[in-house]
Amino acid sequence: MTLRVVRVALTGSGGIGSRVAVALLARRVRYAERFGVDLRLVGAAGSRAGIVGSGGIAVGEFEDRASWALGLTGAAFLAEAAPDVIIDAGPNDYETGGPGLAHLEWALPRGIHAIMVSKSALALHGARLLGLASASSSRVHASGASSAALPAVDFLRHNLAGASVTRVEAALTGTTSFVLDAVTRQGSSLDAAVAEAISRGIAEPDPTFDLDGSDTAAKLVVIAGLALGEWLPFRGITRESVLEVTGARVAAWREAGEKPALVGVLERTATGYEARVEVRAYPREHPFASATGSTKALMVSAEGFGDYTLVGGASTPEATVAAVLKDVEHLLAEL
Ligand SMILES: NC(=O)C1=CN([C@@H]2O[C@H](COP(=O)(O)OP(=O)(O)OC[C@H]3O[C@@H](n4cnc5c(N)ncnc54)[C@H](OP(=O)(O)O)[C@@H]3O)[C@@H](O)[C@H]2O)C=CC1
Ligand SMILES: N[C@@H](CC=O)C(=O)O
């Protein structure tokens, strides 16, 4: 059987990107058997250097960072790699959109598909970027940028296709769930809990983005945009910061046996969706109370369908990689 070559370039090769590269290469036989695709990792880049190999890079070459070409990043890297698909696992910047913005602006008008793990480009410029994608028939998948192993976008887009969704409430940031759980149930200090989230690889490169609600707000924007077709203004989302939670509030939750979580809320109004990010506490019998550690949770109400609760998809690097691999499967099935 002749296999169709699909060339993948990775922008951002840190904790998540490295794992994605290794996992993709380990699945090449599966992609050939299941999709008739010869999937090649034709390039990988970080902030300072990159590697390109038209025939495909092997794991050893990917891991030999000393051999990467200095300065081979950004548009120059993408032009040399000439991919069919980019996977962006770089950092977020909620002022500029981050490096992922330039990567998408380069790729989408050229008909190159994107799998987004970073969030800020879509959170700030999602409507315009999806316009570019639609004009050139590029596909954009963003499980990693929405809630990774909690399948929020897929659930809304596929399982509730066409539904009129009236409300979404979701604990989307594993770090804040983990931190609030640790300070309330284990009596940890905030600093110790954040340090533990960092050491587990679940916090953002800058954990302030988790704690101040930016991560949840960004995921809410991406979920609403991709699944409901409503691109909300990221900067207009009111958000509460975990850093503002007082000791007295923690003591009250502990006393009442409640489970706190930083949640994103989307509510349909007469004029569209309104969004906010806030710290809420759930009584023991609430389904969200079973979401311990970095486990995520989603409640959806949709006309005709009724109410749903999904609990799972804890934030871990492995779960994020699994979500990216799911996006790869969906993309290969679409091509
Ligand atoms: N950790 C998790 O569980 C999850 C993470 N994510 C998202 O994944 C992304 C990466 O997170 P993580 O791997 O933990 O972070 P890391 O800090 O480990 O990795 C970030 C990577 O981005 C690279 N980078 C920085 N600037 C650029 C640039 N201009 N061009 C190309 N690459 C660049 C860095 O390169 P260098 O090292 O050379 O500076 C590094 O390889 C983030 O956007 C995060 O929100 C999403 C879901 C879950
Ligand atoms: N920092 C994020 C990682 C995934 O998006 C989280 O804590 O969930």
Side-chain angles (χ1 to χ4, degrees):
M1 180 176 68
T2 310
L3 299 177
R4 191 160 42 109
V5 174
V6 173
R7 301 162 60 85
V8 177
L10 178 67
T11 45
S13 308
I16 299 298
S18 299
R19 287 177 168 88
V20 166
V22 172
L24 266 185
L25 293 173
R27 284 202 171 190
R28 292 189 68 225
V29 171
R30 172 183 168 83
Y31 296 141
E33 290 174 356
R34 194 170 171 94
F35 300 103
V37 161
D38 172 5
L39 185 143
R40 299 181 189 171
L41 181 65
V42 293
S47 64
R48 290 176 298 274
I51 178 171
V52 168
S54 191
I57 297 164
V59 171
E61 294 170 292
F62 176 81
E63 287 176 344
D64 181 12
R65 299 294 173 105
S67 71
W68 288 25
L70 279 175
L72 190 58
T73 62
F77 161 74
L78 289 170
E80 192 167 330
D84 303 304
V85 180
I86 62 165
I87 300 180
D88 190 87
N92 299 296
D93 183 323
Y94 292 107
E95 293 299 323
T96 65
L101 177 60
H103 299 151
L104 285 175
E105 286 173 337
W106 188 91
L108 297 177
R110 291 173 167 79
I112 295 164
H113 311 291
I115 293 178
M116 296 304 288
V117 189
S118 68
K119 302 143 198 154
S120 52
L122 287 177
L124 293 176
H125 302 283
R128 180 171 63 82
L129 293 167
L130 266 287
L132 292 178
S134 138
S136 57
S137 302
S138 310
R139 301 265 180 179
V140 177
H141 286 272
S143 291
S146 47
S147 48
L150 178 78
V153 170
D154 289 339
F155 180 67
L156 289 165
R157 191 149 66 177
H158 298 288
N159 300 96
L160 299 188
S164 176
V165 173
T166 52
R167 194 170 190 284
V168 173
E169 178 171 333
L172 299 169
T173 300
T175 298
T176 50
S177 294
F178 178 86
V179 164
L180 287 169
D181 217 36
V183 297
T184 307
R185 295 192 189 172
Q186 276 100 53
S188 307
S189 71
L190 183 74
D191 287 350
V194 172
E196 180 61 23
I198 293 170
S199 81
R200 291 180 185 216
I202 59 176
E204 290 301 295
D206 177 354
T208 312
F209 290 150
D210 292 305
L211 301 171
D212 74 0
S214 299
D215 183 79
T216 299
K219 288 168 173 168
L220 212 50
V221 170
V222 176
I223 291 168
L226 292 182
L228 306 176
E230 287 257 354
W231 287 99
L232 302 164
F234 172 79
R235 293 190 181 97
I237 298 177
T238 55
R239 59 196 84 148
E240 192 178 350
S241 168
V242 167
L243 297 167
E244 290 159 16
V245 167
T246 60
R249 210 165 159 203
V250 171
W253 292 329
R254 194 178 300 135
E255 173 78 17
E258 291 177 333
K259 186 235 160 30
L262 184 76
V263 292
V265 180
L266 270 182
E267 270 165 347
R268 205 184 62 195
T269 68
T271 52
Y273 285 95
E274 280 180 1
R276 63 183 182 277
V277 174
E278 62 192 17
V279 177
R280 301 192 67 170
Y282 299 91
R284 275 191 197 93
E285 59 279 10
H286 192 283
F288 278 20
S290 67
T292 54
S294 67
T295 302
K296 301 192 184 98
L298 172 76
M299 283 168 57
V300 176
S301 302
E303 283 175 10
F305 285 91
D307 302 329
Y308 295 86
T309 304
L310 253 66
V311 174
S315 285
T316 64
E318 294 74 20
T320 303
V321 173
V324 174
L325 295 178
K326 176 187 73 169
D327 282 356
V328 171
E329 300 262 330
H330 284 158
L331 180 62
L332 294 180
E334 288 161 1
L335 296 181

